[in-house]
Amino acid sequence: MQYRKDRSGNNLSILGFGCMRFTKKGSGIDIAKAEQELMAAYRAGVNYFDTAYIYPGSEAALGEIFERNHIREQINIATKLPQYLIGNRTALDRYFQEELSRLRTDHVDYYLMHHLTDVAMWEKLKKIGILEWIQEKKQAGAIRNIGFSYHGNTDNFLKILNDYDWDFCQIQYNYLDEVAQAGRDGLHAAAAKGIPVMIMEPLRGGKLVSMLPEQAKKAMQNSGRNWGPAEWGLRWLYNQPEVTVVLSGMNSVEMVEANCRTASEATAGSLTPDDFATLEAVKAAIREREKVGCTGCRYCMPCPKGVDIPGIFRCYNTMYTESKSQGRFQFAQTVGLTREPAFASQCIRCGKCEQHCPQSIPIREKLQEADKALRPLPYKIGIQAARAFMFRKTRYSKRI
Ligand code: SF4
Ligand code: SF4
């Protein structure tokens, strides 16, 4: 295993264990199987385990397994505040204490504001006293490092990043999402501030392994490298020194062993021009299925009406490169439920964006097409209801 440093100089394994999707047994987690996988990772040098309040049964499973194996003090636990459920200061303590109790510990090594999608969410937390709360918990040693996990656009990521003295952050990043969400710009901005970056969805929830088109698989096979799709995805990340930990949800001991092997071999800056050419061929094969040739360059932004043009096109494309439900899910997550609405229906057809698009995309027309596909009536109603609940009693609950 190789290690990279956090802000205090602690060694973190470059492979972290993502604990969102353990194998199920009945209605709960198959604890015996999870224990085998977690302990295989621990023995191979993994010392970073990422969970969250809302991952069903995960915190309690980790608490039980780490306690039984007496390894709590040798590993780092990252877990997350369900900030979207929090309305006041009392709730901060209630959720945090519940998490400590589930995890059978008196401290969290890396604590994240879960799933921020725009700066308004962070502002809301500040209003209920999160800054003072964090300071108290850090002083008491109950939280060692504070960070946030992020799913919005690059602009909002940078605003949140620059608004507080974070110890680390967590972003979705992989060779297909290089310019999506926080993206490469966000990664580099965090690294420039000396903030460690943990990577989630390194293989897009396994899609960069299980849903690769034949042409993409062929490009990998003909590369002269004996790497499988997962190894390509992980090596692309480890190649970047700005990446600190790559989180992988591993559902078998074999997968743990394979990923640990990659994490013991892959070094920053080791990919060759031929390797990058292979990955370009892979991306081209995936993108052949896309509906809009948007590269995510963001030259069209900002839209004066707040439309998230590249975000909408990315989700629209995901409907065709992965699945309709995945595209719509990502849309709800990254566009539909941000506090500042960013829907295509806000477009006033001014045409400003099209003047800047290097791909000459008829953005106005494609936005309407994408909106129709991403928000059929039941989804529209669902998103509206979720917004009304999340942003109740605010101007954001109005119909959009
Ligand atoms: S045409 Fe629509 S999407 Fe483009 S800048 Fe104008 S309002 Fe925004
Ligand atoms: S300028 Fe064109 S290619 Fe770039 S993000 Fe906007 S729509 Fe996509």
Side-chain angles (χ1 to χ4, degrees):
M1 181 57 56
Q2 298 178 77
Y3 297 85
R4 293 183 186 175
K5 304 278 186 195
D6 73 1
R7 273 184 104 183
S8 312
N10 299 312
N11 278 329
L12 297 178
S13 54
I14 62 171
L15 175 66
F17 205 122
C19 301
M20 183 163 77
R21 303 183 191 104
F22 287 119
T23 306
K24 295 270 174 220
K25 188 174 186 184
S27 58
I29 289 172
D30 184 338
I31 295 283
K33 184 168 179 291
E35 186 163 2
Q36 282 179 0
E37 292 154 2
L38 289 164
M39 291 308 294
Y42 169 71
R43 283 190 293 273
V46 172
N47 68 2
Y48 192 95
F49 296 82
D50 174 84
T51 181
Y53 181 86
I54 61 153
Y55 299 168
S58 174
E59 288 181 325
L62 293 190
E64 181 185 332
I65 291 167
F66 293 155
E67 185 180 74
R68 182 158 52 237
N69 290 278
H70 309 290
I71 62 168
R72 172 66 188 101
E73 293 312 314
Q74 286 80 56
I75 53 101
N76 297 292
I77 294 175
T79 194
K80 311 184 186 84
L81 178 78
Q83 52 83 17
Y84 31 77
L85 300 177
I86 304 255
N88 55 50
R89 167 89 189 231
T90 318
L92 289 172
D93 274 322
R94 198 174 64 241
Y95 282 107
F96 185 65
Q97 287 307 324
E98 191 181 345
E99 292 189 284
L100 290 181
S101 157
R102 287 171 172 183
L103 287 160
R104 304 188 192 188
T105 185
D106 61 359
H107 70 278
V108 174
D109 304 282
Y110 296 85
Y111 199 55
L112 303 95
M113 308 293 111
H114 194 190
H115 205 291
L116 295 182
T117 55
D118 64 17
V119 73
M121 286 181 167
W122 172 234
E123 292 297 338
K124 183 198 86 174
L125 288 169
K126 285 190 345 195
K127 274 196 192 116
I128 61 170
I130 193 83
L131 297 180
E132 298 75 19
W133 185 84
I134 290 170
Q135 200 177 358
E136 268 172 32
K137 294 295 171 213
K138 284 186 91 170
Q139 267 166 5
I143 292 175
R144 303 260 166 100
N145 296 276
I146 195 79
F148 64 100
S149 68
Y150 187 75
H151 282 288
N153 64 32
T154 315
D155 296 342
N156 273 297
F157 174 79
L158 296 175
K159 283 181 193 157
I160 297 171
L161 184 77
N162 292 324
D163 191 70
Y164 184 69
D165 188 21
W166 300 100
D167 295 313
F168 70 108
C169 63
Q170 185 166 311
I171 62 171
Q172 172 169 329
Y173 190 55
N174 54 65
Y175 65 74
L176 207 60
D177 287 325
E178 201 173 344
V179 292
Q181 300 196 16
R184 186 181 281 272
D185 288 351
L187 171 72
H188 284 196
K193 289 170 74 92
I195 297 176
V197 184
M198 317 319 189
I199 304 297
M200 55 185 157
E201 305 288 0
L203 304 171
R204 269 224 181 166
K207 303 290 186 310
L208 296 182
V209 176
S210 60
M211 295 188 64
L212 283 183
E214 276 312 305
Q215 278 304 105
K217 287 185 200 158
K218 272 194 192 130
M220 288 177 175
Q221 282 156 9
N222 296 336
S223 67
R225 296 287 202 183
N226 196 19
W227 301 339
E231 190 164 352
W232 274 102
L234 296 175
R235 280 182 180 267
W236 181 82
L237 289 162
Y238 294 141
N239 192 59
Q240 301 172 58
E242 298 85 2
V243 167
T244 306
V245 173
V246 176
L247 299 169
S248 175
M250 297 175 275
N251 285 118
S252 69
V253 170
E254 293 71 35
M255 201 185 287
V256 170
E257 287 170 353
N259 286 356
C260 287
R261 204 165 40 247
T262 305
S264 68
E265 291 171 2
T267 52
S270 60
L271 291 190
T272 65
D274 283 351
D275 295 330
F276 285 114
T278 298
L279 283 170
E280 283 308 315
V282 169
K283 285 194 269 185
I286 296 171
R287 295 218 156 106
E288 255 180 36
R289 299 180 188 170
E290 291 180 347
K291 282 282 185 184
V292 188
C294 172
T295 61
C297 68
R298 304 184 69 80
Y299 291 138
C300 54
M301 297 291 280
C303 156
K305 289 292 162 187
V307 179
D308 183 355
I309 303 167
I312 290 168
F313 288 157
R314 181 171 46 78
C315 299
Y316 185 36
N317 284 333
T318 300
M319 288 180 70
Y320 296 89
T321 54
E322 291 182 27
S323 67
K324 287 191 174 166
S325 57
Q326 183 59 18
R328 287 174 182 150
F329 171 72
Q330 282 185 16
F331 175 77
Q333 205 180 32
T334 61
V335 180
L337 299 179
T338 56
R339 187 171 277 264
E340 293 297 340
F343 296 101
S345 54
Q346 293 159 227
C347 171
I348 53 164
R349 302 185 70 83
C350 68
K352 179 182 158 277
C353 52
E354 292 180 13
Q355 293 163 18
H356 300 286
C357 179
Q359 310 301 323
S360 304
I361 294 168
I363 294 175
R364 290 171 284 191
E365 181 194 319
K366 287 290 173 188
L367 277 177
Q368 299 314 311
E369 190 183 303
D371 196 46
K372 238 188 226 166
L374 287 163
R375 288 200 303 164
L377 193 57
Y379 278 77
K380 210 171 196 166
I381 294 168
I383 288 173
Q384 186 60 34
R387 289 186 65 81
F389 173 75
M390 286 173 70
F391 309 129
R392 56 197 176 281
K393 291 187 193 150
T394 76
R395 66 194 171 91
Y396 302 111
S397 57
K398 73 184 179 202
R399 184 168 291 279
I400 296 150

